[in-house]
């Protein structure tokens, strides 16, 4: 019966990769998520490689960053899956994307790893794509803090206070985690190239939990590292879940009980138990979602209101939505 259903989904999906299998270390454990096969309503709008996705939970919007020649770089969908509009201005090669909501409005932050005149930057846009702020030196890779420079910045997380966390970079000269104030001045900086404590090899994704801890997907070191958000102090690391493949993306579920981690090379989403305050320990994988071969999940985001998980897949060239079952 399950095989018949998967075959039917494959036929219905056309070029979309829909197959997903669920695994749990405990027999009889209930599935946590199911694939929403109706999202988006018009997948033909995915015309490039979909590298990143961000959810505006407050307004029910989903932003997708894609790459390619002569394609819109940012697509905007409703949470129900309807395509709304797209924009392209000053976006070269989007890598990471984040929606920041405040009392006075919303904005979209994008890390751009392009090598042209807009690249090596972290940029803030209005929801309709108007450029509002540029961090970094457009078109120039570097490691300087004054003036601020990036080299292929990978991901960004912005707190409600406006404080900014950037992991820099995606294979460039820098392997660092940078915290900026709400007026974009350096608060602290940590990380160099290497495998020691606090060092990185492609810090690829960053998020902050409700307990004041910063989580970084240290992809090529096959671990997640954790830092104290006020001081930047190293708190611990997780490597036990990543012997097969390093973490590509890290985001918390809406209740902060779990981390959703994408593993690009083995086409898997790992669902890890979040540790209590005062303890990091090692990772405990409570579930996983095995995606189809060559799906290549790159970055994920979570709707902090509904709990839905969106996965940007550079192999399948699509974004898929998984909804919680409870």
């Amino acid at each position: 019966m399950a095989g018949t259903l998967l075959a039917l989904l494959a036929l219905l999906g056309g070029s979309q990769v829909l197959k997903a299998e669920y695994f749990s270390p405990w027999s009889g454990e209930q599935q946590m998520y199911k694939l929403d096969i109706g999202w988006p309503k018009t997948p033909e709008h995915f015309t490039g490689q979909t590298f990143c996705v961000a959810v505006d939970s407050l307004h029910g919007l989903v932003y997708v960053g894609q790459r390619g020649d002569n394609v819109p770089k940012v697509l905007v969908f409703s949470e129900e899956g309807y395509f709304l509009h797209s924009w392209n201005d000053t976006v070269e090669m989007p890598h990471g994307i984040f929606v920041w909501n405040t009392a006075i409005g919303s904005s979209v932050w994008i890390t751009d790893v392009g090598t042209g005149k807009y690249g090596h930057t972290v940029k803030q846009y209005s929801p309709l794509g108007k450029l509002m702020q540029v961090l970094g030196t457009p078109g120039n890779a570097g490691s300087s803090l004054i003036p601020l420079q990036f080299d292929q910045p990978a991901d960004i997380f912005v707190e409600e206070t406006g404080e900014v966390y950037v992991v820099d970079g995606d294979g460039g000269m820098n392997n660092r985690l940078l915290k900026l104030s709400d007026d974009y001045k350096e608060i602290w900086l940590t990380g160099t190239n290497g495998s020691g404590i606090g060092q990185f090899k492609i810090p690829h994704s960053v998020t902050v939990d409700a307990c004041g801890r910063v989580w970084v997907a240290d992809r090529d070191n096959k671990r997640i590292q954790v830092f104290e958000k006020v001081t930047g102090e190293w708190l611990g690391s997780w490597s036990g879940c990543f012997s097969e493949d390093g973490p590509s993306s890290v985001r918390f579920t809406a209740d902060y009980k779990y981390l959703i981690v994408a593993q690009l090379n083995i086409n898997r989403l790992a669902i890890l138990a979040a540790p209590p305050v005062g303890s990091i320990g090692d990772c405990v994988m409570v579930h996983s979602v095995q995606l189809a071969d060559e799906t290549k999940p790159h970055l994920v985001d979570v709707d902090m209101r509904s709990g839905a998980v969106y996965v940007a897949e550079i192999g399948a060239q699509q974004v898929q939505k998984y909804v919680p079952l409870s």
Side-chain angles (χ1 to χ4, degrees):
M1 181 68 180
T4 302
L5 178 59
L6 286 172
L8 180 60
L9 290 178
L11 287 171
L12 290 172
S15 62
Q16 280 193 290
V17 178
L18 294 174
K19 179 182 176 184
E21 299 173 20
Y22 298 82
F23 296 93
S24 170
W26 297 299
S27 176
E29 188 74 14
Q30 295 296 308
Q31 295 177 9
M32 294 180 68
Y33 294 93
K34 67 176 180 179
L35 178 65
D36 181 348
I37 63 172
W39 200 98
K41 307 294 185 185
T42 51
E44 58 267 23
H45 286 287
F46 298 137
T47 52
Q49 275 194 301
T50 46
F51 270 76
C52 49
V53 59
V55 184
D56 180 347
S57 303
L58 185 61
H59 300 101
L61 301 174
V62 181
Y63 293 82
V64 176
Q66 64 174 6
R67 299 185 201 171
D69 296 330
N70 302 312
V71 303
K73 299 301 170 60
V74 179
L75 310 174
V76 187
F77 295 87
S78 70
E79 61 182 0
E80 295 84 13
Y82 294 100
F83 175 75
L84 301 176
H85 56 90
S86 63
W87 38 274
N88 207 39
D89 188 45
T90 70
V91 183
E92 195 172 319
M93 293 179 65
H95 189 279
I97 190 168
F98 186 88
V99 174
W100 183 49
N101 283 312
T102 70
I104 59 173
S106 302
S107 59
V108 182
W109 285 89
I110 294 176
T111 66
D112 194 330
V113 298
T115 56
K117 63 180 181 179
Y118 300 123
H120 302 299
T121 52
V122 177
K123 291 171 285 197
Q124 182 187 26
Y125 294 88
S126 74
L128 293 177
K130 179 183 178 181
L131 183 63
M132 300 167 62
Q133 181 68 243
V134 179
L135 305 182
T137 308
N140 291 307
S143 300
S144 171
L145 294 176
I146 304 175
L148 185 60
Q149 290 181 308
F150 300 107
D151 188 0
Q152 301 182 45
D155 195 19
I156 179 172
F157 187 95
V158 186
E159 291 198 272
E160 290 183 11
T161 60
E163 293 176 326
V164 176
Y165 302 81
V166 178
V167 280
D168 176 35
D170 185 40
M173 68 180 80
N174 301 326
N175 283 274
R176 61 187 185 176
L177 166 64
L178 178 65
K179 181 177 181 179
L180 303 174
S181 63
D182 59 0
D183 58 353
Y184 314 121
K185 302 294 192 300
E186 178 202 356
I187 296 178
W188 51 258
L189 170 70
T190 188
T192 56
N193 182 45
S195 301
I197 289 177
Q199 292 183 310
F200 301 110
K201 286 187 177 179
I202 304 188
H204 198 260
S205 182
V206 60
T207 193
V208 179
D209 67 15
C211 307
R213 299 175 295 193
V214 184
W215 298 73
V216 176
D218 186 7
R219 191 176 73 181
D220 281 19
N221 278 325
K222 295 186 174 182
R223 65 186 179 184
I224 290 174
Q225 296 200 72
V226 191
F227 302 85
E228 205 280 325
K229 79 171 188 179
V230 174
T231 64
E233 176 190 359
W234 185 86
L235 298 177
S237 66
W238 285 356
S239 58
C241 297
F242 307 116
S243 59
E244 294 179 83
D245 189 27
S248 181
S249 181
V250 58
R251 286 289 185 267
F252 279 88
T253 55
D255 58 9
Y256 289 97
K257 291 181 179 180
Y258 305 98
L259 292 92
I260 308 293
V261 178
Q263 293 177 280
L264 183 143
N265 294 306
I266 61 173
N267 307 295
R268 185 170 74 178
L269 301 179
I271 303 168
L272 312 179
V277 178
S279 172
I280 300 298
D282 204 352
C283 51
V284 176
M285 188 182 302
V286 296
H287 287 276
S288 68
V289 179
Q290 185 62 52
L291 307 177
D293 291 346
E294 301 305 318
T295 297
K296 296 191 179 301
H298 186 248
L299 290 172
V300 307
D301 203 15
V302 176
D303 185 332
M304 299 305 275
R305 184 176 54 81
S306 72
V309 177
Y310 294 83
V311 186
E313 302 166 352
I314 59 175
Q317 298 193 17
Q318 65 182 2
V319 170
Q320 295 199 109
K321 177 182 181 180
Y322 289 86
V323 294
L325 289 173
S326 60

